[in-house]
Amino acid sequence: PVAGLPAGASAVVITGTNFSAVNGVSFGSLPASAYTVNTATQISATAPAEPAGTVDITVTTPLGSSATSSADKFTYEAVPSVSAVSPVSGPLAGGTPVVITGTGFTGASAVDFGSANPATYTVNSATQLSTTSPSGSAGTVNITVTTPAGTSATSSADQFTYEGAPTVGALNPVAGPLAGASAVVITGTNFTGASTVLFGTNAVTAYTVNSATQITATSPTGTAGTINVTVTTPSGTSAASSADHFTYEGAPTVTGVSPTAGALAGGTSVTVTGTNFTGASGVSFGSTSASSYTVNSATQIIVPSSPAEP
């Protein structure tokens, strides 16, 4: 072969001419561990140990030493190493095209995602492999490459994460106007690579995946009522739950006031009932605003002291 391990001991067949009366075979500057002159055109040699790199094999007879050329090159290949993986995550079902970069990939005989093997892989060069992720279980695995020189050591640079379907754990705020345009922070898991965010059946046109656990989205327009906010990634779509509820609220309505009368000087505690009180920014008695109030719920506001009126 044209390559072997740094430890040496590779059996190498050398072909050429004028090999009669050979008195030396060298791999770079080191003599072969052993050699046999089979014929005037063939020698069998055992490579000595050498550092990783390429050397010239030369044959010496009483007439001189062979001139070096590209035909006599022998490469000592180091154990492969993985320096980067792109992308660094994919769905449990596998099928993600992955490019692996590193060194010493020539002659790769295996590529492993943890303990799983991809169906196929291509050695693009000594520094790059292309493959498709096999199926896996949720979590992070090391990608290793094996060649005749050995298997790459694991490190943070070779890690690939299998991500389950996303989950939505909370929304803030949990309600907004029918016209949309509310800035909503969505928290959960496995948001990396999110391709769609839906408020009910309406797609969000503007959202940012801040991290694997947070998305910032702008609510689209909607109709009055409560809907589920779902997130879709290559691994699937989040399951609907009470944690992802967002309520579209129309304009507030007042359906009752208790009591219905008070002193001109004000100071009466008043309970206001109605709908869509969430986020109330003001309560007025005629043209006079209450100095303070408490929104107890979407249907009740307490004004502790009514304002004075003429």
Side-chain angles (χ1 to χ4, degrees):
V2 295
L5 307 182
S10 296
V12 181
V13 175
I14 307 164
T15 55
T17 59
N18 302 322
F19 289 166
S20 299
V22 169
N23 53 26
V25 175
S26 297
F27 284 65
S29 60
L30 297 179
S33 298
Y35 67 89
T36 300
V37 179
N38 301 320
T39 67
T41 60
Q42 187 186 82
I43 295 171
S44 295
T46 302
E50 290 260 16
T54 299
V55 299
D56 293 286
I57 295 178
T58 55
V59 175
T60 301
T61 72
L63 298 177
S65 295
S66 56
T68 60
S69 71
S70 59
D72 67 27
K73 303 292 185 187
F74 184 84
T75 300
Y76 285 92
E77 296 178 333
V79 174
S81 65
V82 176
S83 59
V85 173
S86 180
V88 296
S89 63
L92 307 184
T96 302
V98 178
V99 175
I100 305 166
T101 54
T103 60
F105 292 165
T106 302
S109 56
V111 177
D112 296 302
F113 283 61
S115 59
N117 312 111
T120 61
Y121 61 87
T122 301
V123 180
N124 302 322
S125 68
T127 59
Q128 187 184 83
L129 281 166
S130 296
T131 189
T132 301
S133 65
S135 59
S137 54
T140 299
V141 298
N142 295 100
I143 296 178
T144 57
V145 176
T146 300
T147 70
T151 299
S152 59
T154 59
S155 73
S156 59
D158 66 27
Q159 290 181 343
F160 183 87
T161 300
Y162 283 98
E163 297 180 330
T167 63
V168 175
L171 304 177
N172 185 30
V174 295
L178 306 183
S182 295
V184 180
V185 176
I186 307 167
T187 54
T189 61
N190 301 327
F191 289 162
T192 303
S195 56
T196 307
V197 178
L198 296 179
F199 278 57
T201 58
N202 296 328
V204 173
T205 57
Y207 65 89
T208 301
V209 180
N210 303 318
S211 68
T213 60
Q214 186 184 84
I215 293 173
T216 301
T218 302
S219 63
T221 58
T223 56
T226 299
I227 50 85
N228 296 99
V229 175
T230 57
V231 176
T232 299
T233 71
S235 298
T237 299
S238 58
S241 73
S242 59
D244 66 29
H245 285 174
F246 183 85
T247 301
Y248 280 99
E249 297 178 330
T253 62
V254 175
T255 59
V257 174
S258 180
T260 59
L264 296 177
T268 303
S269 177
V270 179
T271 300
V272 183
T273 55
T275 61
N276 303 324
F277 289 166
T278 302
S281 57
V283 177
S284 297
F285 286 66
S287 60
T288 306
S289 298
S291 59
S292 66
Y293 58 89
T294 301
V295 180
N296 292 332
S297 68
T299 61
Q300 187 184 79
I301 294 174
I302 301 294
V303 179
S305 178
S306 60
E309 286 277 358

